[in-house]
Structures are given as structure tokens and as C-alpha cells.
Amino acid sequence: MKTLKILVISGILLNALFCFSQRSKESINESWHYVVGDVLGAEKVDFNDKSLQTVNLPHTWNAVDAYTEKKYYRGVGWYRKDLNLTSKYADKKLFLNFEGVFLKATIYVNGKLVGEHKGGYTAFTFDISDFVSIPGNNSISIKVDSSKDLNLPPISGDYTMFGGIYRDVYLLTNEQIHFDQTNLGSNGVFIETPTVNEKGATVKVKGTIVNQSTKNRTVIVVSKIIDKSGKMVTQIKSKLKLNAGEKGNFEQQSETIANPNLWSPDSPYLYTFQTTILSDDKKQVEFDLLSQPLGLRWFSFNPDSGFYLNGKHLKLIGAARHQDYMGFGNALDNDLQRRDVELLKALGGNFIRVSHYPQDPTIVEMCDKLGVLVWEETPLGNTFYDNEELKATCVSSLKEMIRQNYNHPSIIIWGYMNEVGLGTSKLADKEKKKEIYEITAKFAKELESILRSEDKTRLSTMALNSGGTGYYKEYGFSNLPNVIGWNTYYGWYKGKFEDFGVFIDKVHKESPEINSIISEFGAGSDQRLHSLSPEQFDFSIEWQQLYHESYLNQIFSRKFIAGATVWNFIDFNAAGRQESTPRINNKGLLYNNRTPKDVYYLYQAWLVKSPMLHIASRDWQIRKGIQADPNNTTVTQPIKIYSNLDKVELFLNGNSIGVNSIKNGFCVWNVPFTNGKNFLLAKGENTNKIYEDALQIDFEIVPAILNQVKDKDFEIAVNVGSNCFFTDPINNSTWLPDQPYKSGGFGYVGGEIYRPTEGKIGHQSEVFQTRNVPLYQTFRYGLTDYKFDVADGEYEVELHFAGFGNKLSKSIYDISESEEKGKETDEFNVFLNGNMSLENFCPEIQYGSLNAVYKTFVVQAKNLKGLTISFEKLKGNPFINAIKVRRLN
């Protein structure tokens, strides 16, 4: 971490005509002693912490278990540090500033209680001046409690709540007269722009100054606006009388700045706003100085035509962002934080939903610098109770969020609820639900009023689930804030892609006064899963691409949609998730390690202005395919290009396979792949300049007639009950999609693909004892045979099963266990070429529910009859998840 200091001339020169303050901000992230658990006496000065683990901040104790266990640790941990303060700190005011501690922090200095902060996502500052020894060594002890608490938001949520001191900690130093450092974690100075247009702008500043000296003082407050070249644009001066030990408020307004440089995504021009406290005497002693960014812009929403910035229409497009990174949890350094905003900007995004909680200050700072408009929100989501302490914490979190981020020009809307009521209402009967909705709506009105009193310059919002439009309207939620965000997943959790347009058109028709943003839309994807026939909820890369291709077209074709944020920018940690990648919500445009998925480039094709071209198969470079005819030497599969060029030509191994026009950001070729390495080159032209992208595809052709293959290394693997190819990234082994048996090839005889509900394939419960979870989440049941018409020889046959019994996870909105009532235990016999191989086989009972198991057998194929795996029902239904056949000799 870098140390930020405003230090010009030492105190020795205080008698000079112009003397400068010793305000400083110094990180103290290094060498903390840490222990998990509520250790007795850990706050005491003489506590022996030398045997404890030494960590640097930021730090979370869930960097490992949240990615490996559904029930990660939520509890108490202690952090201790020795802070040596030299004589240079004498006569200064000292503060500890914490950017984020989850969920509750209790601060001790030299064994004495300094204070407590509740809320895991906002900063807080404590004055420790009266608790420290100067010069001397001082003991700092922090008790951190991440336990689930019904009095502290978030009570629930589809993301991991990492515990620890996971953001930076600073020692702040001030003179006895200074700006208020204890104003709910803010710096105590707030900037507004009452008037902004192309011809002129005015700036207003207000704040609080604290006189902690023993004398009454009159001070001069000087505010300067400085442009990028360092030239002072305007200056404001005023005087303020301060009694000893008291605070005083000041307010100033500038003259009109003529022809201002306006802040926008295309040109994020930032002035510097500098506010100084000087003594009102000849010495002009500088007591304190703050420099902050100033962006001059104005904006508005129109329910019919969307969003306007600086008087020009602008479609807000970007993503919601969670903050974790595998290996670090949520304890990211500032470089990683900055990189995320840079990646969003490179996407072409001009909008970010900072969800579902305020994030590291670096995020919004980068949005200011790069020109990304911001929706920031509190962590009140999903579950709410009529609890006074909970309400108080929600209010304090809202005020802290606003005051700490008040001066950022990138922020345009504050959010204070996300789908609140959905979680608690599911636990209630009809009458209780009504009560919950009424209580929640009443509190929403309180928060709306507080928000508007805190900041009259920005707008309010909340995110509502598209499935709850009825009760949202009935209880007044949708007419309360200035802007409504709609969380929509048509084509993923339910319905078809086109249902999104039907839904939002209906909202606009029935409530034409609503300013609408699409706050969530997305589909999961797993890089191991690919399909030539993708379908809803199969977690294939291809379905996610189809989803976003449809949504972007629908969003841009409706001007009244002010904007949209993809859910989510990254694949983020959600420890309760059990889908194809347990503990990861994989709806991201980037993987958790920030590698872009191919669909990331679809957004570039729509949003960036400079020419771009991308072969959208980085996620699928190892491919297999079955011959359509035994005489074919190629197998045709689609290749997609994302581009904003007019036309693109695609070459395969140096030969052109045609020119396609780009429509809605993409085009598709049917490419005749040969066995082995295939080199793709895409070319396009813009203003007489050639743009290219190249990619190698490793392709394996699976023969249409298996008995023609007599190689000793022959292997065929099938993802039974699935429409997807599955590739194990460890050994690059690819399992083919299920198919009906056809003479000469392979496939099933009888049975059905398991579908828990219409439109969804497979289940979403975690399967244990395997790294290849998706392979065991889909299966075919009720089948009689699975046949492979292989050549005569000796083969190793792997049969893969995962019994699930009566319990599977519910939908994402309720990730607890659910029972499939009346499901009979599956018990069956399995025969290989007529020989009993598994007798009275019941995977659930014999190996445990949702445990992967595979049985290996050596079988002889004789007399050109190949291999037949037969299933005999005893109870329930015979089933199988996957089969691999490998020739031995």
C-alpha cells in the first residue's frame, strides 16, 4: 500500500509567513498478529501474541474454506498490532481509519475500548488521540465478528460473506484544528454542483471543522478549483469562528465557471477541488488541507426515452460487480480493484452496479477517472425483519455509504434494497406475507426519505425481482424510488428469451411513469460444457452466448430502458451454490481469475467504438465431433465471430471459407474441421486498415462406424443424459453428448434424460468425490441398453453413477435442501455383453447419496457384436451418468 502524505514544511517553520499542516494518511497494513476464535483476553496489552499467525492486510479468514465448503467459517477472529509512535506525533490528533471490516468490529487501544462499528461494507474512523502514548509502543487489538446476525444486514444473500479486516487500515494525523474526521467515515467536506450546463457551472462546498485546541480561533476557509494543467479556475474564501473544543459548519459557493470542461464516459475530465483551513493572522498557518476530484456533469432520466448525460441521450450499459478473487477471497489489493474497472471500461461499459454493498474506495475512484457511471447500494437484500436494531444499522449503512462517496462525480444513483421481502416471505403463509410486505414497504419509505435528505443531487433506486411485480406495485415499492431496477432471468430460470421483452413492455405500458433499468440479467456457463444444441439451464458456453445476444438486441431496441447491468461481471464466490461449479455463481462475463469469456467480446462488438474482431472459441479450443458419413474426412461445426466490422472473412488452414456480414455484433460459419490441428484466421477491414484474429483448434474426429477403428489407444467417452460435450481440463479428455443408438455407432436404447422441471436438464446439487461435477448432474434413466459397435478386442469399460435419493437442492432463490417426496430407491442389475457385472446395484445406499462412483470392468468384444451394457430394473429406475470405453488390445 502507498503512503499518502500532505507534508510540505515541518513545524520548525511555523513562524514563517506561510506555514503548512502535518495532515497525513499512512497505511498500517503490515505485520498484524491474527487468530481465529474468540480468545479470552486478546484485547489486553500483555496478551502474548508472538505465537499467532502474522498476516498483512487486507486479510480474510475465508480465502480457502469459502471456495471449498458450503458452510464456511462465520465467527470471531482477533487481530493485534504494535504501533510505535515517535515524538513527531506529539500534539497531533490521531485517528484509525478502517475501509472495511466484516461484519462487526470492536476496537481496543492499549487495552481500552475505543468503540464498535456495525456493518461490513462501509468505512469507519475512531479518534485514538486520548488512548495512545507518544512517544511509545502502543497495542491495537481488533475483535472481528462475522457471525450471522439478524440485527445486521445482509441477513442473507446469494454471495459469500467473507470475515476479516479485508480492506486497508490507515493512521490519520491532523493538527488540533481540522476537518471532521468522524463524520460517519467521511472526510467531513461535501461538494455539490448546483448549476451545470455547457455554458457555465457553479460549485458549492459545505463541511464541518473541529477545534480541538484549548483556544477560541477564527479560521479562514479557502476553496480552490484547479484544472488539469494546474491553473486555478476560481477561489472562494470565508471566515469561521470556532470555540475551543467545538465544531463549526461552513458553506461556500463559487462564482460561475464559464465554459466548463464536462465529465462524461468519453471524456472524464476531472478538476481538483482543494479546501484549506488557515489561521486568521499574518502567519497564515495551514491547519488542514483536502484535495478531491471534481467532475462537472448533469443528468436526467425520462421514463419514455431513457437516460441523458449533459443533455445527450446515453444508454447505460455495463455490469454488476462482486469483489472476490480465488486465493484472496474479498481481500484484494488496490491494483486488483483498479484492474476490474479497467476491464469493464475495455468491455465498452459506461455503467457499473456496485452490488450488493459498497465496495473498496478504489472502485469508485477509478470510475471517476475512467468515466464509468455508478449505481452504489447498501447490503439490505432478500431478507428483512421488523427489528429496530436491524433498521438502525440499515439507516447507518445508508448514511455512511452516501457521505463517504458523496464527492464522486461518477455516482448517479443510490440503492437501498435488493429483492427485499423475497427471502422472508417464502417462510410465511398468505397472511404473514401480507404483514411482511407492509412492514418492508413502510421501512422502504423511511429509507427513501433519509436518502433524499442526505443527498438532493442524486436519485434513488431499488432492485426488484421480475417475478414480484404484483406485490411490488400493490404495496408501493415500484412507485417509491426515482428509478427501478428489474432483475430478470427469462431464458435462464424460467421462460424464453423473448419473455423478457414481453415483461418489460408490460411494465412500461402499465406503469409509464417508471424509469426502468435492467439491474440483473444473466445465464450461467461452465467452460467444460459445450453444446451444438444448447438449451436452457445446461450451463453450456453456447447457451450463455445465445442469452446475451438476445438480451442486448432487446435492450437496445427499447429506448425507454435507461440502462442495463449484466449479472455478473465476474464468476463470483457464492458458497451456498451447488450448480455445475459448486460455490461459484458462474454467470460472469469473465472467469473469477479475470480471464474474459468469449461472450465478453460480444459486448465489445456492441459497445466499443474502435474496430474489434474476436474468434469466439477461446473457451472451446479442444473439440471432438462424429463423422456424418464414414467416407468424410472432415466434421462440420460452427465457429462464431464477434466484431463491430461490417464484414469478416474466415480462413481455415490458409484457405478462405467465405465472407460473412456482421449483424448484431456477430456472424457464424460452419467450419469443416480435419483431424488434428486446425488454424483459423479471421480478417476484416475498416478505413483501409486490416484487422485480424487467429486461433488454433485441436480437433478429434470420432468415426461414424466404430468397428473400423482398431487402434490400441482408441477411447470413447459419453456424457450420458446430457446435450453437452464435457472436457476435463486436467487431462483434456472430452465426453461426447448423449445420442440414440444407430447401427455401427454408439448410443442409448430406451430411457429418458432426467429433467426435474420443464425446461431444465439435470439437477443442481453438488456431487462429491469427483472434480467433474457436471458429468454426474445429468443422467439417463429407465434405459434398457447402451451399445458401442466397436471392433473385436479387449476393452476397459467405466460405468459412472451418482445416486441422489430423495434430496436435491432447490432453485437458486432457496438453496436449502428439498425432498422429492415418494421417490423410490433405484436398484438394478447391470450386464456387460450378457454377463452380470453389478448385481442388486443401488448407488445411493451402497455409496451414499450424491457421491460419485465409477466401476471399471474388462470386457471382450467378439464376433463383431461390439459391447452392450444392459440394465435390468429391480426397484425405481436403472440409470447411468457417464460411460467410457477404452481399448486395451
Side-chain angles (χ1 to χ4, degrees):
M1 299 297 152
K2 292 183 178 179
T3 301
L4 173 64
K5 289 190 177 182
I6 301 173
L7 175 56
V8 182
I9 299 178
S10 70
I12 298 173
L13 300 179
L14 282 177
N15 291 324
L17 178 63
F18 229 65
C19 298
F20 293 88
S21 71
Q22 298 281 336
R23 164 182 275 263
S24 69
K25 181 179 181 179
E26 176 185 353
S27 65
I28 53 171
N29 290 333
E30 70 288 340
S31 299
W32 288 76
H33 299 290
Y34 156 75
V35 62
V36 66
D38 195 358
V39 180
L40 186 65
E43 79 281 4
K44 296 180 180 178
V45 175
D46 59 357
F47 180 80
N48 184 4
D49 58 16
K50 303 308 176 187
S51 63
L52 303 185
Q53 180 183 356
T54 301
V55 298
N56 287 349
L57 306 180
H59 174 264
T60 175
W61 54 65
N62 298 123
V64 175
D65 67 346
Y67 294 89
T68 58
E69 301 174 28
K70 182 178 179 180
K71 294 184 178 179
Y72 56 98
Y73 178 69
R74 293 195 65 179
V76 173
W78 280 89
Y79 295 82
R80 289 175 52 88
K81 180 180 176 63
D82 293 329
L83 183 64
N84 185 40
L85 297 174
T86 63
S87 56
K88 76 173 184 177
Y89 294 100
D91 299 322
K92 307 295 182 186
K93 302 305 296 182
L94 300 181
F95 303 84
L96 285 181
N97 171 251
F98 296 80
E99 289 186 341
V101 180
F102 192 90
L103 174 62
K104 182 167 64 176
T106 310
I107 316 300
Y108 299 88
V109 174
N110 292 327
K112 297 179 181 179
L113 176 65
V114 174
E116 181 182 73
H117 181 263
K118 297 178 180 180
Y121 299 108
T122 45
F124 56 95
T125 303
F126 286 111
D127 187 340
I128 60 169
S129 306
D130 296 335
F131 294 85
V132 295
S133 299
I134 301 175
N137 194 52
N138 296 270
S139 168
I140 301 175
S141 302
I142 318 294
K143 179 182 179 181
V144 180
D145 191 349
S146 71
S147 304
K148 184 173 181 178
D149 190 333
L150 297 183
N151 299 320
L152 298 177
I155 296 171
S156 66
D158 179 29
Y159 55 95
T160 297
M161 293 156 198
F162 296 88
I165 306 178
Y166 69 97
R167 293 181 188 160
D168 298 327
V169 179
Y170 293 95
L171 176 67
L172 309 180
T173 306
N174 280 106
E175 301 293 338
Q176 298 291 327
I177 297 173
H178 56 85
F179 296 111
D180 188 5
Q181 295 274 35
T182 58
N183 189 330
L184 297 181
S186 73
N187 61 25
V189 175
F190 305 97
I191 304 167
E192 298 175 4
T193 53
T195 305
V196 183
N197 56 52
E198 292 177 343
K199 295 182 178 180
T202 58
V203 181
K204 179 181 175 181
V205 61
K206 57 185 178 181
T208 302
I209 298 174
V210 184
N211 179 10
Q212 291 185 289
S213 73
T214 57
K215 297 180 180 179
N216 297 341
R217 300 296 296 259
T218 298
V219 297
I220 303 171
V221 183
V222 181
S223 294
K224 298 178 182 179
I225 298 174
I226 303 166
D227 68 15
K228 275 188 174 182
S229 69
K231 178 183 176 182
M232 188 179 73
V233 177
T234 189
Q235 178 176 265
I236 324 163
K237 289 186 179 181
S238 60
K239 291 186 179 182
L240 181 66
K241 292 182 178 180
L242 296 168
N243 294 328
E246 291 185 356
K247 297 181 179 181
N249 297 324
F250 71 94
E251 187 172 307
Q252 300 173 324
Q253 183 158 324
S254 73
E255 298 177 347
T256 298
I257 301 168
N259 303 314
N261 292 293
L262 298 178
W263 183 97
S264 71
D266 289 337
S267 179
Y269 190 98
L270 291 174
Y271 295 87
T272 297
F273 194 93
Q274 190 180 87
T275 312
T276 311
I277 308 172
L278 301 172
S279 63
D280 185 24
D281 53 29
K282 291 182 180 180
K283 295 179 181 179
Q284 293 278 283
V285 175
E286 182 184 286
F287 294 119
D288 205 356
L289 181 150
L290 276 175
S291 290
Q292 303 184 82
L294 170 66
L296 301 176
R297 84 289 183 267
W298 80 97
F299 64 90
S300 62
F301 284 82
N302 183 290
D304 289 319
S305 54
F307 178 74
Y308 292 82
L309 180 68
N310 301 332
K312 299 176 182 178
H313 184 264
L314 178 68
K315 182 76 83 172
L316 297 169
I317 298 288
R321 188 244 185 192
H322 271 296
Q323 61 185 6
D324 72 278
Y325 199 115
M326 192 173 293
F328 304 98
N330 63 346
L332 276 61
D333 62 39
N334 288 335
D335 284 339
L336 289 176
Q337 306 277 6
R338 282 188 279 266
R339 182 176 176 231
D340 275 3
V341 184
E342 291 169 345
L343 286 166
L344 179 66
K345 187 70 175 180
L347 174 85
N350 58 24
F351 188 39
I352 186 172
R353 181 184 175 198
V354 181
S355 54
H356 287 306
Y357 39 78
Q359 295 179 16
D360 191 283
T362 307
I363 294 296
V364 184
E365 290 170 10
M366 284 298 290
C367 290
D368 290 343
K369 292 177 181 178
L370 296 182
V372 178
L373 293 148
V374 178
W375 160 344
E376 189 164 35
E377 65 191 25
T378 71
L380 177 54
N382 194 256
T383 306
F384 174 75
Y385 297 104
D386 189 17
N387 177 307
E388 293 306 315
E389 187 174 349
L390 172 61
K391 290 179 181 178
T393 312
C394 291
V395 169
S396 63
S397 293
L398 178 62
K399 289 182 177 180
E400 288 172 342
M401 175 184 73
I402 293 173
R403 295 189 193 183
Q404 290 169 25
N405 296 283
Y406 196 90
N407 298 331
H408 291 288
S410 56
I411 297 178
I412 55 172
I413 45 179
W414 305 112
Y416 53 84
M417 281 186 175
N418 176 69
E419 297 185 349
V420 170
L422 281 185
T424 43
S425 68
K426 285 185 177 181
L427 307 176
D429 58 25
K430 186 175 181 180
E431 287 303 313
K432 188 65 176 176
K433 283 183 181 180
K434 181 180 178 181
E435 180 184 342
I436 290 170
Y437 296 150
E438 289 174 345
I439 291 169
T440 307
K442 181 181 178 182
F443 186 57
K445 291 177 182 178
E446 292 181 34
L447 292 179
E448 179 74 20
S449 176
I450 291 168
L451 187 156
R452 296 194 185 196
S453 66
E454 284 285 320
D455 188 354
K456 296 179 175 60
T457 69
R458 295 181 176 90
L459 301 182
S460 61
T461 188
M462 65 169 70
L464 306 180
N465 184 275
S466 60
T469 51
Y471 79 78
Y472 287 137
K473 192 169 185 178
E474 179 181 354
Y475 293 93
F477 289 92
S478 53
N479 291 319
L480 189 59
N482 303 119
V483 180
I484 290 293
W486 296 107
N487 297 347
T488 60
Y489 291 96
Y490 296 102
W492 184 242
Y493 290 121
K494 61 181 180 180
K496 304 186 294 287
F497 300 151
E498 298 77 17
D499 293 337
F500 162 71
V502 174
F503 160 76
I504 200 64
D505 287 343
K506 183 180 179 183
V507 168
H508 185 56
K509 181 178 179 180
E510 294 180 353
S511 303
E513 75 284 358
I514 288 178
N515 294 306
S516 287
I517 282 178
I518 310 306
S519 44
E520 292 183 23
F521 65 104
S525 67
D526 185 328
Q527 191 175 10
R528 299 169 295 178
L529 293 170
H530 294 275
S531 181
L532 301 176
S533 303
E535 60 177 274
Q536 180 181 359
F537 223 69
D538 64 6
F539 290 91
S540 70
I541 291 289
E542 289 67 36
W543 186 259
Q544 186 189 42
Q545 291 176 2
L546 292 175
Y547 180 100
H548 285 285
E549 288 160 10
S550 175
Y551 266 72
L552 272 177
N553 195 35
Q554 292 184 78
I555 289 166
F556 272 92
S557 67
R558 291 165 170 83
K559 195 172 183 180
F560 69 84
I561 297 177
T565 50
V566 178
W567 191 261
N568 195 273
F569 190 55
I570 62 164
D571 287 355
F572 63 91
N573 184 244
R577 286 249 170 183
Q578 302 182 66
E579 296 165 335
S580 72
T581 53
R583 275 156 290 288
I584 296 290
N585 184 320
N586 55 19
K587 295 187 183 70
L589 300 179
L590 301 92
Y591 298 102
N592 189 262
N593 67 2
R594 276 46 174 186
T595 300
K597 299 180 184 180
D598 283 319
V599 74
Y600 174 93
Y601 297 94
L602 168 68
Y603 281 80
Q604 280 198 341
W606 276 82
L607 302 176
V608 301
K609 295 178 180 178
S610 57
M612 61 80 55
L613 176 62
H614 176 81
I615 301 173
S617 197
R618 263 67 175 187
D619 290 325
W620 197 9
Q621 290 183 249
I622 299 174
R623 294 193 179 205
K624 277 189 178 183
I626 303 170
Q627 287 175 314
D629 183 274
N631 298 317
N632 288 357
T633 58
T634 63
V635 170
T636 300
Q637 287 187 0
I639 284 290
K640 185 178 290 180
I641 301 287
Y642 288 136
S643 180
N644 57 8
L645 303 174
D646 292 332
K647 294 181 179 180
V648 174
E649 186 172 12
L650 185 64
F651 296 83
L652 174 64
N653 297 325
N655 299 312
S656 175
I657 56 174
V659 177
N660 272 348
S661 296
I662 301 294
K663 184 178 180 181
N664 293 329
F666 71 96
C667 58
V668 179
W669 281 262
N670 288 316
V671 176
F673 288 102
T674 56
N675 212 39
K677 298 185 184 302
N678 293 258
F679 297 94
L680 296 172
L681 175 65
K683 286 187 176 182
E685 185 176 344
N686 180 272
T687 60
N688 298 319
K689 184 176 181 180
I690 301 296
Y691 295 87
E692 297 182 346
D693 189 31
L695 182 66
Q696 177 181 301
I697 302 291
D698 294 329
F699 202 95
E700 180 182 339
I701 294 178
V702 178
I705 306 300
L706 296 183
N707 63 20
Q708 293 181 352
V709 183
K710 298 181 181 179
D711 298 337
K712 288 188 177 181
D713 60 353
F714 170 79
E715 178 180 292
I716 187 167
V718 184
N719 187 8
V720 181
S722 175
N723 63 317
C724 290
F725 295 86
F726 175 84
T727 300
D728 182 342
I730 303 298
N731 59 16
N732 291 332
S733 176
T734 295
W735 302 67
L736 300 169
D738 204 4
Q739 67 175 32
Y741 170 71
K742 186 165 62 174
S743 180
F746 72 91
Y748 61 82
V749 178
E752 299 178 44
I753 289 177
Y754 174 73
R755 296 180 184 276
T757 59
E758 184 180 354
K760 292 187 179 180
I761 186 170
H763 64 77
Q764 284 73 57
S765 292
E766 181 178 4
V767 180
F768 301 93
Q769 312 304 325
T770 180
R771 66 176 181 269
N772 294 327
V773 171
L775 206 59
Y776 295 91
Q777 291 179 323
T778 52
F779 57 91
R780 178 167 291 276
Y781 69 96
L783 71 172
T784 58
D785 300 288
Y786 217 100
K787 304 186 73 171
F788 296 84
D789 287 349
V790 293
D792 289 353
E794 187 176 54
Y795 293 85
E796 180 182 79
V797 179
E798 289 181 13
L799 306 179
H800 294 252
F801 307 90
F804 64 85
N806 292 324
K807 289 189 176 181
L808 290 175
S809 65
K810 294 182 181 179
S811 72
I812 187 51
Y813 292 106
D814 186 351
I815 54 178
S816 61
E817 300 296 318
S818 68
E819 293 192 3
E820 286 198 349
K821 295 181 180 178
K823 182 186 181 300
E824 189 176 11
T825 301
D826 300 317
E827 185 177 343
F828 49 95
N829 296 325
V830 180
F831 301 85
L832 295 178
N833 281 354
N835 297 316
M836 176 78 75
S837 298
L838 294 171
E839 186 175 9
N840 300 325
F841 186 57
C842 183
E844 175 198 350
I845 292 176
Q846 294 170 357
Y847 301 99
S849 182
L850 294 172
N851 278 324
V853 58
Y854 72 89
K855 306 293 290 184
T856 303
F857 303 91
V858 175
V859 184
Q860 294 288 336
K862 301 177 181 179
N863 305 319
L864 299 178
K865 292 183 178 180
L867 297 174
T868 299
I869 306 158
S870 301
F871 301 85
E872 181 182 38
K873 173 180 177 178
L874 299 177
K875 289 193 300 184
N877 279 295
F879 70 91
I880 190 163
N881 297 81
I883 303 171
K884 180 185 284 188
V885 173
R886 186 169 67 90
R887 186 179 177 113
L888 299 178
N889 58 56

